[in-house]
């Protein structure tokens, strides 16, 4: 249904710079509006695909300013927000500041937690930072077929670039599968 809607309404989106949708299977936290992606805080939007187990039982669960739900994804986001704030105003943060804050938080998570995927993106008024990373070191990665479950594609079309976990059946799009451990920046006026 999504592909049909996009194909039928392609002209409607010609002047839009961003559209965000996240269809997810709830793996952490209850199913409710507060746990629904994208998360928003002071001009930043965030979506995450994966599980981060440290957030259930360590210092990562401390109440954070802006928390509305109870997922590992929201905690991940708010910890990145804290790192961006350390560098200055969120509203004035460049994509490089956001990218560096995300990289710092990812390195911290890798040190202290088991996790399946840290695939996410953060959108701001400046553009989008995309991180595609699934855990090849996870002991269950082969059994869980993480390499097949956590995929990411970039679709280039005449009027838009689409970032998604599966190839969409859209007219006039060329798709490229990203290699694991990709960190990309998409400026607003790309």
């Amino acid at each position: 249904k999504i592909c049909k809607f996009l194909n039928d309404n392609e002209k409607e989106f010609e002047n839009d710079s961003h559209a965000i949708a996240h269809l997810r299977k709830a793996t952490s936290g209850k199913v409710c509006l507060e746990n629904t992606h994208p998360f928003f805080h002071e001009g930043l939007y965030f979506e995450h695909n994966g599980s981060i187990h440290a957030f259930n039982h360590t210092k990562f669960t401390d109440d954070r300013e802006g928390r509305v739900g109870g997922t590992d994804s929201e905690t991940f986001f708010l910890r990145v927000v804290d790192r961006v704030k350390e560098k200055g105003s969120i509203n004035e943060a460049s994509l490089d500041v956001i990218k560096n804050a995300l990289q710092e938080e990812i390195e911290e998570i890798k040190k202290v937690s088991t996790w399946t995927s840290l695939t996410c993106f953060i959108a701001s008024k400046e553009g989008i930072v995309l991180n595609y990373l699934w855990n090849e070191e996870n002991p269950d990665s082969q059994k869980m077929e993480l390499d097949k479950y956590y995929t990411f594609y970039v679709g280039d079309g005449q009027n838009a670039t689409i970032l998604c976990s599966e190839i969409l059946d859209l007219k006039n799009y060329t798709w490229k599968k990203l290699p694991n451990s990709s960190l990309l920046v998409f400026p607003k006026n790309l």
Side-chain angles (χ1 to χ4, degrees):
K1 290 183 179 183
I2 292 171
C3 292
K4 180 173 178 9
F5 173 79
L6 290 172
N7 279 325
D8 292 348
N9 296 283
E10 184 176 10
K11 294 283 185 205
E12 298 291 323
F13 301 106
E14 283 183 350
N15 296 317
D16 293 336
S17 62
H18 295 94
I20 299 173
H22 182 67
L23 308 173
R24 74 181 280 264
K25 175 183 173 186
T27 56
S28 175
K30 67 181 185 174
V31 176
C32 63
L33 186 58
E34 294 82 9
N35 289 339
T36 302
H37 302 221
F39 296 106
F40 174 77
H41 191 78
E42 295 183 37
L44 297 179
Y45 294 86
F46 179 86
E47 293 181 359
H48 166 239
N49 190 11
S51 297
I52 306 167
H53 303 290
F55 296 159
N56 297 328
H57 53 72
T58 68
K59 65 180 181 173
F60 289 97
T61 60
D62 294 343
D63 282 341
R64 309 203 84 70
E65 178 186 337
R67 175 180 292 292
V68 294
T71 67
D72 55 342
S73 298
E74 184 183 27
T75 301
F76 181 14
F77 173 47
L78 293 175
R79 289 179 56 82
V80 174
V81 166
D82 288 348
R83 290 178 185 276
V84 171
K85 285 181 177 179
E86 289 172 5
K87 311 285 191 273
S89 165
I90 289 178
N91 290 323
E92 302 303 318
S94 69
L95 290 176
D96 279 340
V97 167
I98 295 168
K99 179 183 82 170
N100 291 338
L102 178 60
Q103 285 178 303
E104 289 170 9
E105 184 56 27
I106 287 168
E107 290 309 311
E108 179 70 15
I109 291 169
K110 288 161 85 175
K111 288 180 198 170
V112 301
S113 180
T114 57
W115 52 279
T116 57
S117 175
L118 300 175
T119 298
C120 63
F121 75 77
I122 302 176
S124 76
K125 65 182 182 180
E126 301 298 322
I128 296 174
V129 176
L130 165 69
N131 184 70
Y132 170 55
L133 177 65
W134 60 273
N135 190 351
E136 296 179 60
E137 305 296 317
N138 185 309
D140 295 326
S141 69
Q142 283 189 315
K143 180 175 75 175
M144 295 170 63
E145 295 187 310
L146 296 181
D147 61 327
K148 293 182 180 117
Y149 184 75
Y150 294 115
T151 56
F152 219 92
Y153 296 88
V154 176
D156 287 315
Q158 182 177 355
N159 298 319
T161 298
I162 296 178
L163 312 171
C164 58
S165 58
E166 296 181 22
I167 294 174
L168 301 177
D169 185 20
L170 297 174
K171 297 181 282 187
N172 304 318
Y173 274 82
T174 304
W175 295 94
K176 175 185 171 194
K177 183 177 181 182
L178 294 179
N180 194 23
S181 200
S182 295
L183 181 62
L184 304 172
V185 175
F186 297 88
K188 182 177 180 182
N189 296 321
L190 183 64

